[in-house]
Amino acid sequence: MKFRNYYINILIFFCLLACLSTKAQQNSDVSLIIGEKNILLEDPFVVTVVLKFVGESPNPEYKFPELPNFTKRGVSKSIARSYVSGQPVATCTITQNYAAKKEGVFKIPAFKVNVNGTDLKQEALSIKVSKTVTSGKKDANNTESNSAKPTDNQEDFTDFIEGNSPELANLNTKEDAFLSLSSSKSTPYVGQGFTVTLAFYVAKSNTAEIEFDQNSTQIPIITKKIKPENCWEESFGITEVQEAQVSINGKQYTQYKLYQSTFYPLNDKKIIFPSVSLRLLKFLPEKNGGKKSTYVTFQTGSFTVKAKELPPHPLKNEVSVGEFTWRETLNKHKVITGKSVEYSLQIMGDGYNVKLPQIKNDSIFDFFPPEVDAINTPQNNKIISTKSFTFQIIPKRAGNFVLDKYFQWVYFNTKTEKYDTLKSVLKLEVSGQAIQTADSPLTQTSVYDGLENTDSSEEASDFKKILKDEANILIVIMLIGLIYIFIPNLNNKK
């Protein structure tokens, strides 16, 4: 009986431990982040709350305090979702911006940020607000003759929004806030990428309290509406609002990037981007000190992108379009006939559809099908494609050979607006006796040797699945053990 009770206690302990572990995973993790404490007058003081949770996305309730010598500028909220071990995990970021009323050093007493009924405490701190530093001399009309250049972490978007610039001029920006749908190019070539960005802009001078509302529902509807049919799309993969400080026509804005993709026109048909709208929440102060929320809608203008035909060329309909670089390596430059040598090639640029022409065997070399790897990376409002090829080559004749006869690639260079050819500059020195074929190589050095003898029908073991199945079986055995132990005890009590 003592042994049975001991066994019961062990089972109960492990069951409680599993329950506590599950409950701990379901609880959200909340943290408070304080921004820079040494800022310029036009920069906001930022207070951010980050909630990490497992399961369905909650709609957190929050309240940021009023701070002396500062005015609430606006709140932004974003949610990033991912999956960990098959469970949905989300991170909610809520950012409150405070605008300084004047320059100086201000002592902020300890304050609390309430999130879902829980107070996040922040100790007292000091914030130094410095005067804006400008460059250039003023003329007789009291205007600066040389405008200040953006800092390193800023970007002048005047040129970037060329596709939407006419609409920007006509927007009603009396609240110093607007929604923009813009294109990096208005007349790309067919096959040349152009980047479309949907972003919300709030001027530094804006003191209105505006908050995003149900972006997870609104943004997919908007993006579905603006995606053109006659284009290939490479998305930047924005899953949460991206905040940045930008300059537009010399005026400082906070940019909230909502969507960004690079499109590649498949033909010269006009690409029409319609007007889209985004609904936000705006909070208005009331006489009793409270706040009243109301909806406000911002709308973009429509614009057209007109793709240009490529100049005549035999490969006009097959070439990639953009700016590219060519990198190549050989694992050895001297080799004996019948021995394998590895040739690696990397083509990197802002175009897509990178394909090498088929390389055929001849009396000098045998080429095995290459291993191909492709990576797309967002860089500076472009999608940079990197495609790597790894060839196994077996030489069959002695001599010094330049590989440009075999490895060359034609593309349309958008910088020179001409067709260009990238080709190999590497040389291979081969020695040894000539062989007629590489079907039966003298040495099994190639990674492809013996490939035809491999049984491809045999499936690889999935160790994660095996462990999961074994864990489930163990839990079932433990439950059966509990039932086996408890039922006799209940019968004895009766």
Side-chain angles (χ1 to χ4, degrees):
M1 182 63 70
K2 289 183 179 180
F3 175 76
R4 178 176 292 180
N5 291 337
Y6 178 73
Y7 183 64
I8 292 173
N9 291 335
I10 292 176
L11 289 175
I12 293 174
F13 171 76
F14 279 106
C15 289
L16 289 174
L17 190 63
C19 293
L20 289 174
S21 175
T22 304
K23 186 176 181 180
Q25 291 178 352
Q26 293 175 345
N27 289 338
S28 61
D29 181 18
V30 185
S31 59
L32 183 66
I33 301 174
I34 302 298
E36 291 290 333
K37 301 173 186 176
N38 191 350
I39 61 175
L40 296 177
L41 185 58
E42 75 270 16
D43 292 335
F45 171 63
V46 179
V47 179
T48 303
V49 172
V50 179
L51 297 90
K52 297 180 180 180
F53 47 85
V54 177
E56 294 296 327
S57 304
N59 187 16
E61 297 181 358
Y62 53 89
K63 183 178 181 182
F64 288 88
E66 300 289 342
L67 301 182
N69 297 306
F70 285 83
T71 303
K72 286 184 177 179
R73 174 175 291 170
V75 176
S76 64
K77 183 173 68 173
S78 63
I79 296 179
R81 296 178 176 85
S82 60
Y83 284 86
V84 177
S85 300
Q87 288 187 311
V89 178
T91 301
C92 179
T93 303
I94 307 169
T95 301
Q96 173 68 65
N97 295 320
Y98 292 90
K101 296 179 180 179
K102 56 184 179 180
E103 59 181 293
V105 179
F106 306 107
K107 293 184 177 180
I108 306 297
F111 61 87
K112 300 177 182 178
V113 178
N114 187 276
V115 181
N116 290 334
T118 302
D119 287 331
L120 304 178
K121 299 179 181 180
Q122 171 59 41
E123 298 179 354
L125 52 88
S126 294
I127 303 174
K128 182 180 179 181
V129 181
S130 304
K131 187 177 180 180
T132 304
V133 179
T134 58
S135 62
K137 297 180 180 180
K138 295 186 177 181
D139 57 22
N141 295 324
N142 199 33
T143 59
E144 291 187 354
S145 57
N146 295 318
S147 59
K149 294 182 179 180
T151 57
D152 291 339
N153 62 342
Q154 293 176 339
E155 184 175 356
D156 196 323
F157 272 56
T158 305
D159 296 331
F160 177 70
I161 55 178
E162 63 173 89
N164 207 30
S165 53
E167 287 70 33
L168 290 175
N170 298 325
L171 282 172
N172 180 7
T173 58
K174 64 181 181 180
E175 292 184 298
D176 286 332
F178 62 91
L179 182 68
S180 169
L181 180 65
S182 58
S183 171
S184 60
K185 295 179 180 66
S186 57
T187 55
Y189 281 99
V190 172
Q192 182 182 10
F194 64 95
T195 300
V196 172
T197 303
L198 177 68
F200 183 65
Y201 295 85
V202 181
K204 293 285 187 178
S205 56
N206 190 345
T207 58
E209 188 174 345
I210 302 175
E211 180 184 321
F212 291 111
D213 178 57
Q214 297 182 359
N215 277 3
S216 59
T217 302
Q218 292 195 77
I219 300 303
I221 296 175
I222 293 174
T223 55
K224 185 178 181 180
K225 186 177 180 181
I226 65 178
K227 288 181 181 180
E229 294 182 356
N230 59 326
C231 288
W232 176 270
E233 180 189 11
E234 290 289 349
S235 174
F236 279 63
I238 295 177
T239 57
E240 60 181 60
V241 177
Q242 295 183 357
E243 184 176 341
Q245 306 303 316
V246 300
S247 174
I248 301 177
N249 296 325
K251 190 173 183 179
Q252 301 301 312
Y253 286 83
T254 299
Q255 179 201 54
Y256 299 95
K257 194 179 293 183
L258 306 171
Y259 166 81
Q260 194 167 36
S261 275
T262 295
F263 295 99
Y264 303 86
L266 301 178
N267 51 49
D268 62 347
K269 293 182 179 179
K270 288 184 178 180
I271 306 167
I272 300 174
F273 290 90
S275 172
V276 294
S277 58
L278 182 70
R279 188 184 69 181
L280 292 92
L281 281 172
K282 182 177 180 180
F283 296 91
L284 303 174
E286 295 183 324
K287 294 181 180 180
N288 59 4
K291 292 181 181 179
K292 179 183 178 181
S293 64
T294 183
Y295 289 114
V296 57
T297 300
F298 292 86
Q299 192 168 8
T300 72
S302 62
F303 63 93
T304 301
V305 172
K306 181 66 175 69
K308 299 180 292 184
E309 278 281 2
L310 294 175
H313 190 277
L315 299 176
K316 172 183 173 181
N317 297 323
E318 300 177 21
V319 298
S320 296
V321 181
E323 296 180 42
F324 296 90
T325 59
W326 173 286
R327 298 175 184 175
E328 55 179 354
T329 58
L330 279 170
N331 68 336
K332 48 190 172 183
H333 293 268
K334 296 181 179 181
V335 66
I336 302 175
T337 54
K339 295 291 185 72
S340 174
V341 61
E342 184 176 282
Y343 173 80
S344 299
L345 170 63
Q346 186 182 81
I347 301 176
M348 182 170 64
D350 58 356
Y352 87 112
N353 194 32
V354 175
K355 294 181 180 179
L356 284 180
Q358 184 178 2
I359 302 174
K360 297 181 179 180
N361 299 338
D362 60 10
S363 61
I364 301 174
F365 295 112
D366 275 349
F367 300 91
F368 289 91
E371 295 180 6
V372 183
D373 186 25
I375 300 175
N376 292 330
T377 308
Q379 293 181 16
N380 299 326
N381 294 312
K382 292 181 179 181
I383 293 290
I384 301 300
S385 173
T386 303
K387 200 158 188 179
S388 302
F389 305 85
T390 303
F391 290 85
Q392 297 294 329
I393 308 173
I394 294 183
K396 300 184 289 186
R397 198 174 75 187
N400 295 327
F401 305 101
V402 180
L403 298 180
D404 58 353
K405 174 184 175 182
Y406 306 96
F407 298 101
Q408 54 180 266
W409 182 68
V410 179
Y411 74 103
F412 183 79
N413 191 326
T414 54
K415 186 175 182 180
T416 61
E417 296 187 325
K418 295 180 180 179
Y419 290 94
D420 200 353
T421 302
L422 298 175
K423 59 179 66 178
S424 176
V425 296
L426 296 181
K427 297 179 180 180
L428 189 61
E429 183 179 337
V430 184
S431 59
Q433 296 181 353
I435 57 177
Q436 292 185 352
T437 177
D439 293 340
S440 302
L442 301 179
T443 177
Q444 297 249 345
T445 57
S446 170
V447 296
Y448 297 95
D449 291 342
L451 185 63
E452 67 278 3
N453 298 322
T454 304
D455 184 5
S456 60
S457 63
E458 184 178 352
E459 297 184 358
S461 300
D462 189 343
F463 292 102
K464 287 187 177 181
K465 186 176 183 301
I466 293 173
L467 290 174
K468 184 178 179 181
D469 292 340
E470 290 180 351
N472 290 334
I473 293 172
L474 181 60
I475 292 172
V476 171
I477 292 174
M478 292 172 65
L479 290 175
I480 293 174
L482 283 173
I483 295 172
Y484 174 77
I485 293 169
F486 277 113
I487 289 179
N489 288 339
L490 291 175
N491 292 332
N492 292 336
K493 290 181 178 180
K494 291 179 181 181

